[in-house]
Amino acid sequence: MADLIDGESIAARLRARVKCEATELAARGTPPGLAVVLVGEDPASQVYVRSKLRRTVEAGMTSFEHRLPTSASQDDLLQLIARLNADDRVDGILVQLPLPGHIDSDLVLDAIDPLKDVDGFHPVNVGRLSAGTGGLIPCTPLGCMMLLDTVIDDFRGLKAVVIGKSNIVGKPVAMLLLERECTVTVTHIATRNLPEIVRGADILVVAAGHAGLVRGDWVKPGAVVIDVGINRIVDGEKRRIVGDVAFDEMDHAGSVTPVPGGVGPMTIACLLENTVRAARRRRAEPMVAGDEAVHAGSA
Ligand code: GUN
């Protein structure tokens, strides 16, 4: 039976550590502050934003909530971002995606101060990640690496396969694995012989958005499997959330993340971690030991 990587308890430990750091920073002046911007009424985004704000407050930080109507113009949003960039109480800015169609997301993300870009989506942070020179790392990939760190001591030379080439997960997680000196293959929708490529993987990170894509006979015995997928399916009478991996077929894997309860809780915990990190950096406070394993290469 594969070992379960318990994202809930790993995320709870991370949140507790972040809370200690936030409390320390608050004692020395101001608590870290996170601004979350939601444009429009997308129900899934509303749920995510609510949990982000709740977790921020629970972690001893200040949350600034900004809701704009769907009709808000791109200029309205850019003006809000300019105000948040200039606001010293705000250490992190997150603009919930997707944005309504009339707003250019790239332009908006580019307008966020890279030092406050807790999503790690600004081109400066993307560039820093690919150059291995620090910066803020996108939350889900950071969470994947923290989960892998609980089961792998030495990444050097391991074969890693990433399924999915998105800017939010696939590409940044590939960069992080490369930084650890894995031999990394990134696969995508046009990849041929996917099962064969996956069979070579010691580490498999799946972010395809396709329920049950990865079957048991694709996975090498002993491999570590990180399932980033969140798919809502109807199973008979019931609605369930499942990952991109056929979880019931993973007995022979070394370790596997469940869905829910694997990568999901890590994403918000890493957002809090990034906010404290941004706060420390903006206030020229030293980083805390133990951070540096995942944030390897940080200046
Ligand atoms: N929408 C879905 N995932 C994310 C994320 O990680 N960050 C932001 N800003 N929006 C999202």
Side-chain angles (χ1 to χ4, degrees), residues 96-116:
Q96 186 66 26
L97 302 175
L99 289 169
H102 64 279
I103 296 179
D104 179 345
S105 305
D106 289 338
L107 203 72
V108 169
L109 297 178
D110 289 6
I112 296 173
D113 178 346
L115 291 173
K116 296 188 176 187

Side-chain angles (χ1 to χ4, degrees), residues 19-255:
K19 185 171 184 172
C20 286
E21 291 184 42
T23 309
E24 248 179 56
L25 287 171
R28 262 181 262 159
T30 3
L34 174 65
V36 178
V37 180
L38 175 62
V39 185
E41 311 284 332
D42 180 67
S45 292
Q46 290 188 358
V47 172
Y48 288 133
V49 162
R50 214 173 305 132
S51 351
K52 286 171 186 177
L53 292 166
R54 178 170 59 89
R55 291 293 191 196
T56 303
V57 173
E58 282 171 5
M61 306 195 225
T62 310
S63 73
F64 302 91
E65 181 179 359
H66 294 272
R67 286 174 183 265
L68 300 183
T70 314
S71 59
S73 70
Q74 185 167 284
D75 265 0
D76 293 336
L77 184 52
L78 290 173
Q79 277 171 28
L80 171 60
I81 289 173
R83 282 208 307 280
L84 296 173
N85 282 342
D87 187 336
D88 214 34
R89 299 165 307 163
V90 174
D91 295 291
I93 302 171
L94 179 142
V95 177
Q96 186 66 26
L97 302 175
L99 289 169
H102 64 279
I103 296 179
D104 179 345
S105 305
D106 289 338
L107 203 72
V108 169
L109 297 178
D110 289 6
I112 296 173
D113 178 346
L115 291 173
K116 296 188 176 187
D117 169 37
V118 284
D119 256 330
F121 294 163
H122 190 284
V124 164
N125 286 317
V126 175
R128 282 185 174 278
L129 176 59
S130 81
T133 54
L136 288 159
I137 298 170
C139 304
T140 302
L142 182 57
C144 291
M145 294 307 293
M146 288 182 177
L147 295 177
L148 286 169
D149 272 324
T150 65
V151 290
I152 299 174
D153 288 329
D154 186 3
F155 287 70
R156 290 193 73 207
L158 294 181
K159 286 189 182 151
V161 172
V162 178
I163 303 184
K165 65 171 181 67
S166 72
N167 291 335
I168 293 184
V169 185
K171 286 183 204 165
V173 89
M175 287 300 168
L176 291 166
L177 290 162
L178 192 57
E179 209 48 42
R180 300 291 190 90
E181 299 186 326
C182 290
T183 302
V184 183
T185 304
V186 182
T187 72
H188 44 77
I189 192 83
T191 296
R192 295 179 192 156
N193 301 326
L194 182 60
E196 220 169 288
I197 295 168
V198 171
R199 276 184 202 112
D202 303 302
I203 298 171
L204 177 63
V205 179
V206 192
H210 184 307
L213 172 74
V214 175
R215 306 305 304 261
D217 66 346
W218 298 19
V219 172
K220 177 159 117 177
V224 179
V225 180
I226 304 291
D227 188 349
V228 186
I230 299 178
N231 307 288
R232 289 168 179 82
I233 62 159
V234 181
D235 182 5
E237 298 280 281
K238 285 193 220 143
R239 288 167 187 279
R240 284 201 299 142
I241 290 182
V242 299
D244 291 349
V245 168
F247 184 77
D248 296 343
E249 299 175 10
M250 293 297 138
D251 280 358
H252 60 295
S255 312

